[in-house]
Amino acid sequence: MSRAEIKSLAQAIRERRASQSFDGEPIPQDDLRKILEAGLQAPSSYNLQPWRFIVVQQPEQKRRLRGACFNQAKVEEASAVIVACGDADAWRKDLDDVINSGLRGGMSESLAAASRESIPHYFTEFNSDQMHGWLNKQVMVAFTHMLLMAEVLGYDTAPMEGFEQDKVHEVLRLPMSYWVVAVLALGRIQGPDKFNGGRFPFSHTVFCEEFGKPLK
């Protein structure tokens, strides 16, 4: 797959559309790695980085995944599909590594000690819905980093929320603690680009200091 001209971030944000069909040509592994690394650099609560990404590229596995995504053709057509999950047990499994990494990066011993106590207390109060809500927020930040990096590198993308949780678990053999948040199809567009649906103006969605006061 030949490289398209790299876009600025502002251009990628402005021009991005959700592609409806892809040509299926492979993405160079260096580019795919850059896209994934962008996700890994995202911020997260307590720096716990609870995201887990499953990259699907083999035709037969894409076909199976398509069946778990309401039979959407773009899943099978895409050059690569990234299934973005959150691990509900990440705070248990990774807490020591996160704190030790923080200490190496300049975290104080007092903050490390407080984190060892406060983080487990925080998460043990969560029910399943609260944990899934928390994972949705964390993973979608990383997901957006990857989507925009793909667009900057000249690829087309389709962020997808149309899938069946249990079926994706089965196809990908995911651990029980994983929660599937979103699916990102990547590649080169096939056919016309999606129409521009437009966006609301500032006055509709942005306020200054309190609701109803416009931002000048």
Side-chain angles (χ1 to χ4, degrees), residues 167-189:
K167 289 185 178 181
V168 175
H169 264 258
E170 181 179 352
V171 169
L172 302 182
R173 300 182 179 180
L174 299 177
M176 292 294 293
S177 62
Y178 280 28
W179 173 250
V180 184
V181 175
V183 175
L184 181 60
L186 305 168
R188 297 271 193 240
I189 193 170

Side-chain angles (χ1 to χ4, degrees), residues 18-24 73-79 156-158 185-194:
S19 300
Q20 300 304 301
S21 184
F22 296 91
D23 66 11
K74 55 191 167 186
V75 174
E76 194 169 357
E77 295 170 353
S79 304
D156 300 291
T157 59
L186 305 168
R188 297 271 193 240
I189 193 170
Q190 180 172 257
D193 207 349
K194 187 179 181 181

Side-chain angles (χ1 to χ4, degrees), residues 4-73:
E5 182 179 352
I6 292 180
K7 301 177 183 178
S8 69
L9 178 58
Q11 182 184 7
I13 291 172
R14 184 175 62 251
E15 296 180 355
R16 186 211 62 81
R17 299 287 180 272
S19 300
Q20 300 304 301
S21 184
F22 296 91
D23 66 11
E25 289 298 312
I27 293 178
Q29 290 302 299
D30 284 349
D31 284 354
L32 184 57
R33 191 172 188 87
K34 288 176 183 176
I35 293 165
L36 291 160
E37 288 283 0
L40 301 185
Q41 294 301 315
S44 61
S45 180
Y46 301 111
N47 196 33
L48 284 169
Q49 306 159 63
W51 40 71
R52 305 291 184 262
F53 305 130
I54 294 83
V55 182
V56 179
Q57 299 177 86
Q58 294 300 317
E60 182 58 25
Q61 187 69 334
K62 286 191 293 184
R63 185 189 65 78
R64 294 191 190 99
L65 184 60
R66 173 179 177 172
C69 296
F70 301 112
N71 200 36
Q72 296 181 77

Side-chain angles (χ1 to χ4, degrees), residues 86-100:
D87 185 359
D89 286 340
W91 67 270
R92 290 189 181 93
K93 295 184 289 192
D94 297 335
L95 180 57
D96 286 342
D97 288 341
V98 166
I99 290 176
N100 289 335

Side-chain angles (χ1 to χ4, degrees), residues 134-211:
W134 182 81
L135 289 172
N136 286 342
K137 289 185 286 185
Q138 309 305 312
V139 174
M140 284 307 297
V141 178
F143 185 92
T144 303
H145 274 51
M146 293 190 296
L147 181 151
L148 291 176
M149 178 58 79
E151 294 282 343
V152 164
L153 292 175
Y155 297 102
D156 300 291
T157 59
M160 303 169 61
E161 59 178 353
F163 57 85
E164 296 177 81
Q165 188 79 217
D166 291 345
K167 289 185 178 181
V168 175
H169 264 258
E170 181 179 352
V171 169
L172 302 182
R173 300 182 179 180
L174 299 177
M176 292 294 293
S177 62
Y178 280 28
W179 173 250
V180 184
V181 175
V183 175
L184 181 60
L186 305 168
R188 297 271 193 240
I189 193 170
Q190 180 172 257
D193 207 349
K194 187 179 181 181
F195 64 89
N196 182 354
R199 293 295 185 268
F200 289 122
F202 258 57
S203 60
H204 190 85
T205 52
V206 181
F207 307 99
C208 182
E209 310 301 341
E210 62 183 44
F211 175 73

Side-chain angles (χ1 to χ4, degrees), residues 115-151:
S115 297
R116 283 194 170 94
E117 182 175 343
S118 64
I119 291 174
H121 178 74
Y122 178 67
F123 286 106
T124 52
E125 298 295 318
F126 275 21
N127 61 34
S128 178
D129 286 344
Q130 288 172 317
M131 176 55 74
H132 291 163
W134 182 81
L135 289 172
N136 286 342
K137 289 185 286 185
Q138 309 305 312
V139 174
M140 284 307 297
V141 178
F143 185 92
T144 303
H145 274 51
M146 293 190 296
L147 181 151
L148 291 176
M149 178 58 79
E151 294 282 343

